[in-house]
Amino acid sequence: MDELRTQRLILRRWTADDEKAMVEINRDPEVARHLNRPVDEAAIAAFHGLVAGHWEQYGFGPYALESREAGLEGRFLGFAGLAHVPPFLSAAGEQPELGWRLARSAWGRGLATEAATAARDDAFERLRLPQLISIIHPENERSQRVATKLGMQPSRQIHNPALDLDVDVWALDAPAG
């Protein structure tokens, strides 16, 4: 599945044209404030290759988000979708993490929830995953609200050595049936 559509978004595979826009999003200090790893120039430069490579290796990954809204058609907004947890957070478990990161200009309109809902549903329906997790910084109230709207609940804390901080692991089991 290379593309999902919602009322206001297209969730799609990454293109080379997305790299520059994602670099700008990742450089925004407010966007990066509650990430699970420090964001330096090396991490910013490597991000696009990592997400594109995840798709190639696993057949799924974080989707690039593109607006379908009137007057904003085609605008790159960030990402939402699944990725395997980095080794330094392996205490979270082996299941893929559902994550999202949007440009600050896209905040406050429910787009993260809309995108993450589509990615969640795809993970349970197409990929038949038994459970999803999201690793959320304990001060990231915005992501906590999105996770709650997705039906996720805090399940435990793990230590994040990159931040030297305990972070929350939110979980959601696949619907029965």
Side-chain angles (χ1 to χ4, degrees):
M1 176 72 67
D2 290 345
E3 183 177 286
L4 303 172
R5 288 180 177 255
T6 69
Q7 181 179 351
R8 299 179 293 168
L9 299 167
I10 298 172
L11 289 77
R12 60 169 173 74
R13 297 274 300 258
W14 293 76
T15 68
D17 292 340
D18 301 328
E19 186 169 13
K20 183 178 182 213
M22 195 68 223
V23 163
E24 293 308 311
I25 291 169
N26 284 333
R27 280 192 178 134
D28 183 328
E30 193 61 25
V31 171
R33 187 167 65 144
H34 295 303
L35 297 182
N36 282 314
R37 66 179 85 199
V39 179
D40 57 18
E41 285 302 311
I44 289 170
F47 185 84
H48 185 268
L50 290 173
V51 294
H54 197 283
W55 273 97
E56 295 305 316
Q57 185 172 359
Y58 298 105
F60 67 87
Y63 287 99
L65 303 180
E66 182 179 311
S67 179
R68 296 179 66 195
E69 294 178 285
L72 300 174
E73 296 95 340
R75 181 178 289 174
F76 181 87
L77 301 174
F79 75 83
L82 300 175
H84 286 282
V85 176
F88 70 91
L89 292 174
S90 63
E94 294 182 14
Q95 64 274 42
E97 177 188 16
L98 175 59
W100 48 88
R101 186 176 314 155
L102 277 67
R104 199 171 356 156
S105 63
W107 290 4
R109 301 195 332 256
L111 294 171
T113 301
E114 187 173 326
T117 298
R120 175 203 65 195
D121 294 349
D122 182 56
F124 287 146
E125 293 166 13
R126 181 176 63 90
L127 299 175
R128 303 273 186 228
L129 295 177
Q131 184 183 61
L132 294 175
I133 63 165
S134 290
I135 303 169
I136 301 176
H137 189 290
E139 296 174 8
N140 191 340
E141 293 176 6
R142 289 180 178 275
S143 282
Q144 292 168 4
R145 282 194 301 271
V146 171
T148 299
K149 290 175 186 176
L150 294 171
M152 302 182 99
Q153 296 182 340
S155 64
R156 63 190 185 285
Q157 285 193 320
I158 61 169
H159 187 71
N160 180 331
L163 301 177
D164 193 25
L165 175 77
D166 288 345
V167 294
D168 300 320
V169 178
W170 290 61
L172 177 65
D173 291 333

